[in-house]
């Protein structure tokens, strides 16, 4: 199963966070209006990925040689939501992954 979170526009052109679950083989569209909305009124969403040495990255692909086919050791998520410019709620969390795939040398 592939689980993907992505930001999309709703009918009112507000940004929403959606979740997509796809079963192998991934043969249907990437994004779908039927994907459930997890959060509305997104102002910003930033992921920071950490490798085993604590180095940070803006993106991560565990199937790429750029990360030596490893999974990140931790992921930081920063989310800001609000209806108007003066109203903002900021959330910040760090996820330490309990199981990781080590880099292939």
């Amino acid at each position: 199963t592939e689980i993907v979170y992505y930001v999309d526009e709703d009918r009112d052109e507000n940004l929403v966070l959606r979740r997509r679950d796809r079963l192998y083989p991934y043969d249907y569209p990437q994004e779908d209006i039927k994907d459930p909305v997890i959060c509305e009124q997104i102002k910003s969403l930033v992921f920071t990925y950490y490798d085993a040495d604590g180095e940070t990255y803006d993106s991560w692909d565990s199937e790429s040689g750029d990360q030596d086919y490893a999974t990140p050791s931790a992921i930081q998520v920063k989310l800001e939501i609000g209806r108007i410019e003066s109203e903002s709620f900021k959330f910040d969390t760090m996820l330490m992954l309990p199981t990781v795939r080590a880099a292939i040398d």
Side-chain angles (χ1 to χ4, degrees), residues 7-76:
V7 176
D8 193 17
E9 284 188 351
D10 65 11
R11 292 184 180 121
D12 298 326
E13 297 183 359
N14 296 308
L15 297 178
V16 296
L17 178 64
R18 293 184 182 275
R19 175 185 166 136
R20 178 183 63 240
D21 296 8
R22 297 186 334 157
L23 299 175
Y24 185 82
Y26 315 119
D27 60 350
Y28 48 91
Q30 292 271 340
E31 298 176 357
D32 190 338
I33 193 69
K34 296 176 189 170
D35 291 339
V37 172
I38 304 300
C39 185
E40 299 175 327
Q41 304 296 330
I42 304 289
K43 287 186 170 183
S44 69
L45 176 62
V46 178
F47 295 93
T48 304
Y49 303 90
Y50 293 80
D51 68 11
D53 297 324
E55 296 292 321
T56 61
Y57 300 84
D58 294 332
S59 63
W60 194 281
D61 182 355
S62 298
E63 299 302 315
S64 166
D66 292 342
Q67 274 83 32
D68 297 324
Y69 304 98
T71 56
S73 296
I75 304 169
Q76 182 180 28

